[in-house]
Each structure stands twice: as structure tokens, then as C-alpha cells.
Amino acid sequence: MEIKHRIASALLAVLMAALVSGNAAAKDTLPSWNDGPAKKAILEFVAAVTNKNGKDYVAPADRIATFDNDGTLWVEYPMYTQVLFAFDRVKKLAAQHPEWKTQQPFKALLEGDMKTVGASGMKGLMEIVMATHSGMTAAEFENTVSDWLATHKQPKFKRLYTESVYQPQLELLAYLRANGFKTFIVSGGGIAFMRAISQKTYGIPPQQVVGSSIVTKFQIKDGKPVLVRMPKIDFVNDKAGKPVGIYQHIGRRPILAFGNSDSDMQMIEYAMAGKGRRLGLFVHHTDGTREYAYDRKSHVGTLDKALDQADARGWIIVDMKKDWKDVFPAK
Amino acid sequence: MEIKHRIASALLAVLMAALVSGNAAAKDTLPSWNDGPAKKAILEFVAAVTNKNGKDYVAPADRIATFDNDGTLWVEYPMYTQVLFAFDRVKKLAAQHPEWKTQQPFKALLEGDMKTVGASGMKGLMEIVMATHSGMTAAEFENTVSDWLATHKQPKFKRLYTESVYQPQLELLAYLRANGFKTFIVSGGGIAFMRAISQKTYGIPPQQVVGSSIVTKFQIKDGKPVLVRMPKIDFVNDKAGKPVGIYQHIGRRPILAFGNSDSDMQMIEYAMAGKGRRLGLFVHHTDGTREYAYDRKSHVGTLDKALDQADARGWIIVDMKKDWKDVFPAK
């Protein structure tokens, strides 16, 4: 298509969107959300910040929405997908690492002794992550992640991990973007791990993914410039790290932030503390049948303090069982 | 004319040209670029990567263009704007720092003894930068930078620093965006310093600015969550740091990279090493009358190795004197 046609059709699309925006769009936009306080809060918020004549209007450039990933956009229970990836990589790489036969926590992991792996704590987990996430080029790592996620299924739902995503959230992301928002992932997960699938899974391009990172070095390898992933933590984008990650990557304060655990409190607190209308939300995993039920005492995605403080601070608790008509996309 | 109006009219010119005729767009899009090999290379490159039926077609999502800032988008000679800002802030803050009267390099700077300041080297400069760039909230720093840039002029051109920007580059940025590119700044300068003015000056939003950063901490101050800038370097986005900054912030390899000094070589090398058609360019400051003439032996923006290697590596050297019809926007 010639450039004039491309521009003309882009203009037409914008005009059409402007013509249909407003009430009609708001009615059918979130079909997997049941009517209730959470859906109402979302629709009212978006209506308010996009109403040019209203007191809560926010210019499109400042319509920044940030979403946690594990437990907010995709399943995190009973264990974070990226940790399962790391465990599996240890098994795949074991032949090249005979020393792991005697070295903990690798020995225990290879023997299936998960109790000992668990007892190795954060230190042990970091050793496993470093052994599986560094020592290769950025491109090699991305391919490994893509291949793994294209072939491994979540055991309870028998779906690929990239299909174990929440349909209501896919609708919400699309709805926000249709209303001029920029949608970002802000997760404790690895930035490069999520970027391998963010566009295809969520329609979120790599540059809108903020996550934890490891030190990376530019090197010339066989005459070609490459980025090599080093066995050293660069930044942990979790808890109080989330507002910092947002500052370093986005440089603007979100007006909407969505999480599911106490680790998201600082992100939501930071978003809500800005001027003007704000929306902060948490997914509460209340559905042991369709997904999982866990909160205060869970080993992943602990939701405890945020539940206690939600009312007083105006945070919306999204009750998965009540608020979501569907949990996963239709197969 | 205000800068944002200038950007709007540059964009309008591109859109109008595109609407009138596809071919005409190529003719009138870069009016401040003289016909010559550089302009030809740019137009041919953009035509090739946007031609859906051509072998060099690149999907819009992958049309990433990265630009250095100092000396590539705005004037850097005789000294980087951010360093001048830091020097000026030391003078403004001196009353609150009586210890600076005896402490180098602050003492020399306050006495106007620039030779001693220079002799303090990178260590001294870093002390000055840390003293003026940390110890405040992110919002306070942004306001200070915005205020300073709104009131200080480049001495030779008697223009605000934000008006000492290159008109041909504003046109190029607008032209690339009109052709589906995402434009990014990738600079050794401070990420927060540039973000204060990037949207208004270049039409580049904060989240598309990659730069050097200092450690920032999330804190509750007077009951409000704030981000506090700490006196510690987080990341130096220069030389081999540029491809790393691109990886961490953008997560995609640029297909076009534009710099002006040897510090941009790794960024351009990295961009050019990707598959498919690529374009790497350097501004060569050859115009001592309209701007400045400096290259191999300059204390800022040294362009030496890149000049030697350009031909062999297919890098385009943009000769400011020959290739640019205008240097600055009309006042």
C-alpha cells in the first residue's frame, strides 16, 4: 500500500474509533468481567480520564497502565513459570555439568529431592537461576525461552503457559489500549524471559516490559557484536524496586496499576499517590475450581497486608470467583 | 516559534506531502537536507524497509531507530549541556555548602578556576555531578532541570539549549515516525535530565529515552511515596554500554542508529550487525561558521576511529556543512 493510503486508512481508523468511543464501547468491552464493583470501577475510571470535558481528564501521553505478570496476567501457582523453566534447564544442561552430581542445590534438583532444593532458600534458587540464565548471548537466551514456552504445559490446565493467561485481563489490556493507554508489564520476573513472549501473548512490545535483570556485556564474538548475559544480578524489580523500575524504564507515574500480591503494594501506592484520578487493583485468587485459591499464607503471590489495607486505601480487590465470568481464553 | 509548534509543523509537512503523493513525499520530506549521498541513503533506506513487497521490508514493530543526543540532536560544543547545568547548580547551591569553599573541585569551580576543575578529571566531574544530581526526589530534579533549560542560553547561538537542536534531525525524526518507526534517544547523558525535555524538544516520550542513570530508592517521606536520587552511579550508557542500554530498555535491535562520535560506534556496530537492511550514520561537525568544526582531537564528541572505519563498514558520514541546508530551526 502506498504511503498516502496507509496514512489515510490510519486517519480513518482514528476517526472511526472516535465516532464509536463512549457508551457503546463501554458496554461490550469486558465480556469476561461480571457486573460488580470491580468492573464498575474500571469502566468509570476509564470514562473519567478520557472525558475531555471532565475534571479527571488525562492526556493520552500520561495514560500509563502497569500490570504485574505472575498471578496478575498469567498463572503463578503452584510455582512461578520462570522457576519451572530454570529447574527444567538444569535437567537439560546436566550432561554438560558433571559437577552438579555432587553440588547442591543442583544434586537435589537432579534427584527430584525438592525438599532439599526448597531448603536451599533464595541463595540456592539464585544459583539455579544464574546457571540457567547466564553464559549465553541475549539472542540464544530468547530462543531457549521461546522454545521452552512453546512446548511446556501448565500441569493442571493442560495448556501452554502462554495460554494460561487470564481472559478478563487480555480484554482489559485491549480496552485500555483502545482508550489511548500505554500498557506496561512491571514484574519481578526476568525482563528478557517475559519479553520473549509479551507481544504475542499480551500485545505488549518488549520496550514496554519492565522486570528484573542480570548484568549484560557487549562483546565481539567470532567477529560479531553480541550481548552476553553474565551471572550477576543487575536489578530486582520487586516490592520497593517496582516504582524504581517504573522510574528508570517509563519515566512517568502510572495512573492505573494492577497487581495480585503484597509485592505489588509499592507499585500501586506509587501510582495512587500521583495527582488526579488513579486506580489501583489486586487480583484475589479465590477460585480453587477454575484456577487456584490462595492468599495470606501462600508461598507464591502472598496477598496479606494488601487485603487488610485495601478498603482504607481505596484499592480494588478483584475477586476471581465473583468478578470473572471466564478465567482463561476459549481453546 | 515554540519548539512543539516546530515539531508539529515538521510532522504536518511530512503528512501533507504524503497525502499529496507518495513520490512527492520523498522529495519534500527533509527540506533542510541538501541532496547528496547522506539524504539519498536515508530516503532509499526508508523506502526499502517500508515497501511491503520488497525484499528489505521490516514490520513496523521492528522499525526501531536510535539517536545519540549530544552532538547528534543538539549542540554539545564547547561543553555538554548537562555538565554546564551541573557547574551552574554548584554555584546556586554553594550557600548551603560552606564546605565547598575549601573542598576541591568545588572550590576551583566557585572561583572560576576551570583549569583546576579540568585537572580533577572524571573523578572530580563525578563529584560535581553527584552533588548536583542526587539528594532530591525525582520530581524535584525534573523541575530543576526544566527550569534551568527554560532560562539558560547557549552562548554562541543565543538560543535556549532546547532550541540549539538540529533542524535536519527534527525533520528526520518526524519523517521516521511518519513511516512507522519508533524513535529513541540512546545517550551517555543522564536519562532523567533528557526526559525533562525530550517530548517537547524532539517529540520523544520519556519511555523512549535511554541514558545513564544513578541509583534511585523508593521511600515514604512525610507519608508520601517518593523516589529519591542517590549519590551512586547505576549505569553508564556510553560506548559498549549503549548496546546494553538498548537491550535493557528496548529489547530490540535498532535498524537505524545515528551518532556523532566514537562513543557511538558500538551502538551503530550492534545495529548494523542484525539481519536485513540497516543504516548507521554519524554527524561530522564540519561547520565552524554555522555551528562548530571538531572531530579527531576534540575534548567532546571525539570522532576519529569512526571516520577511519566508515567506508569499510558502510557507515554514512553526514557532513554538516555540505549535507545540511539549515542547521537550526528558524526563530
Side-chain angles (χ1 to χ4, degrees), chain B residues 56-70:
Chain B
D56 296 323
Y57 179 73
V58 175
D62 291 316
R63 292 182 203 156
I64 304 289
T66 55
F67 286 76
D68 171 59
N69 187 37
D70 297 302

Side-chain angles (χ1 to χ4, degrees), chain B residues 205-226:
Chain B
Q207 67 268 24
Q208 286 167 222
V209 177
V210 182
S212 299
S213 56
I214 63 174
V215 171
T216 305
K217 287 226 179 296
F218 177 79
Q219 291 178 358
I220 306 293
K221 204 174 159 181
D222 304 328
K224 282 211 132 193
V226 291

Side-chain angles (χ1 to χ4, degrees), chain A residues 8-84:
Chain A
S9 55
L11 281 174
L12 191 63
V14 170
L15 286 171
M16 289 297 289
L19 284 169
V20 302
S21 76
N23 292 334
K27 271 178 205 158
D28 303 312
T29 283
L30 300 173
S32 299
W33 287 75
N34 287 318
D35 290 332
K39 183 172 182 173
K40 188 165 173 274
I42 292 168
L43 294 177
E44 284 179 359
F45 175 78
V46 172
V49 299
T50 56
N51 175 7
K52 249 194 160 153
N53 302 315
K55 67 176 172 51
D56 296 323
Y57 179 73
V58 175
D62 290 315
R63 291 182 205 157
I64 303 290
T66 55
F67 287 77
D68 169 60
N69 187 36
D70 298 302
T72 301
L73 295 179
W74 75 0
V75 173
E76 68 180 346
Y77 204 90
M79 184 42 70
Y80 303 114
T81 305
Q82 192 172 357
V83 172
L84 298 174

Side-chain angles (χ1 to χ4, degrees), chain A residues 3-4 7 138 182 191-192 195 206-207 214 216 218 225 227 229 240 243-244 247-252 266 270 273, chain B residues 18 50 138 179 182 191-192 195 206-207 214 216 218 225 227 229 240 243-244 247-252 266 270 273:
Chain A
I3 194 164
K4 63 177 171 177
I7 287 167
K182 283 218 179 322
I191 191 166
R195 280 172 167 175
Q207 67 268 24
I214 63 175
T216 304
F218 178 80
L227 293 165
R229 296 169 56 86
V244 175
Y247 176 58
Q248 301 285 23
H249 282 260
I250 309 177
R252 275 176 170 143
Q266 289 90 341
Y270 175 63
Chain B
T50 55
N179 280 281
K182 283 218 178 324
I191 191 167
R195 280 173 167 175
Q207 67 268 24
I214 63 174
T216 305
F218 177 79
L227 294 165
R229 296 170 56 85
V244 175
Y247 176 58
Q248 301 286 24
H249 282 260
I250 309 176
R252 276 177 170 141
Q266 289 90 341
Y270 176 63

